[in-house]
Amino acid sequence: MTIQTQRLSPVFNKTNQVADILGAGFLWLICSVPVVTIGPATAALYYTVVKVVRRNRETVVKSFFHSFKNNLGQGIILTILYLLYGAAIGLYILAALEGRIQMNPYIICTLGIILACPFLFTIVYIFPVISRFQAGLIRQIQYALYMSIRHFPSTIALLVLLAFMAVLIYFVPFLMAILPGFYAYLGSFFIERIFKKYLAEEIKKYKDPTDLPWYLE
């Protein structure tokens, strides 16, 4: 009986992890309905996936709403900024396609890339950053931009993963209720490795590894 339980334990653990990921993704979807709360909901999703699923601490609901509440103000401001930034990129592309920008096509393309890169590079980092680090708004954006450039291969991998998830959702809208949590989970393997590089000095403060806070484990 004991042997059977031990054999089944990894299966139950994986099942619980999947259930927690789906639960966190569902909370993200509900809390993103007002649109302006997509930012704090995304920060809470990342925080929950790492703390509950990967570190096995607390519960999905408690962790999600703890982070959502803590990052609500900053997250809403960032959401509005990124929505406006994304709209500006969209208008630029539309104007270019309609021929309303009278410039050399290569210059138009180059300017478009320059305009889009800060948006694309930071969008995959900014909300995980605010879920983990306490700083002013400008500083958080600087953190995200620096990480995106310093860890460029990971940035590309995160963008490819995000694009893949977006395409799946475009063709199967129902997946909006499922995939966000899995994106946060898979993305956390890149982002957590990056975060630890900037938390090395804090880790040194703890002589006993068992005393480490969950986010430093």
Side-chain angles (χ1 to χ4, degrees):
M1 190 69 174
T2 303
I3 294 176
Q4 291 178 344
T5 302
Q6 290 176 343
R7 287 177 178 174
L8 289 174
S9 181
V11 177
F12 284 124
N13 288 338
K14 292 297 181 182
T15 301
N16 287 337
Q17 285 185 328
V18 170
D20 287 339
I21 291 170
L22 292 174
F26 179 74
L27 290 176
W28 174 86
L29 184 61
I30 296 300
C31 291
S32 295
V33 170
V35 180
V36 294
T37 54
I38 291 175
T42 303
L45 174 62
Y46 183 83
Y47 177 90
T48 303
V49 164
V50 175
K51 187 172 186 178
V52 178
V53 180
R54 294 195 56 189
R55 301 292 190 269
N56 197 28
R57 303 293 183 90
E58 293 188 348
T59 63
V60 169
V61 174
K62 182 178 179 180
S63 294
F64 186 93
F65 286 107
H66 169 78
S67 178
F68 184 80
K69 179 181 177 182
N70 284 350
N71 297 295
L72 186 60
Q74 201 172 56
I76 287 176
I77 295 172
L78 283 168
T79 303
I80 293 171
L81 288 175
Y82 273 85
L83 287 174
L84 291 174
Y85 194 175
I89 295 172
L91 290 174
Y92 180 87
I93 294 173
L94 183 62
L97 293 174
E98 292 179 349
R100 286 185 281 141
I101 302 177
Q102 301 301 317
M103 285 190 296
N104 184 293
Y106 293 105
I107 296 177
I108 293 174
C109 184
T110 300
L111 290 176
I113 293 172
I114 293 172
L115 178 64
C117 278
F119 176 88
L120 292 174
F121 285 5
T122 59
I123 194 69
V124 293
Y125 289 99
I126 188 63
F127 298 112
V129 164
I130 70 169
S131 78
R132 182 66 53 82
F133 300 98
Q134 298 295 319
L137 196 64
I138 301 300
R139 180 66 66 181
Q140 300 282 40
I141 294 173
Q142 289 175 337
Y143 287 160
L145 184 59
Y146 177 79
M147 289 178 188
S148 70
I149 297 171
R150 177 67 179 80
H151 307 281
F152 189 69
S154 293
T155 301
I156 296 301
L158 289 166
L159 286 172
V160 169
L161 180 61
L162 181 62
F164 177 70
M165 296 287 186
V167 170
L168 289 178
I169 291 171
Y170 176 80
F171 287 106
V172 188
F174 171 75
L175 293 177
M176 178 63 78
I178 298 174
L179 293 183
F182 286 97
Y183 172 78
Y185 177 74
L186 294 174
S188 72
F189 286 92
F190 294 94
I191 296 173
E192 286 303 300
R193 187 180 70 250
I194 292 170
F195 281 178
K196 281 189 176 181
K197 295 179 185 296
Y198 302 95
L199 295 169
E201 291 302 317
E202 186 173 350
I203 293 174
K204 292 178 181 178
K205 297 177 183 178
Y206 297 87
K207 296 181 180 179
D208 187 349
T210 60
D211 293 335
L212 288 173
W214 66 268
Y215 55 87
L216 294 178
E217 293 177 354

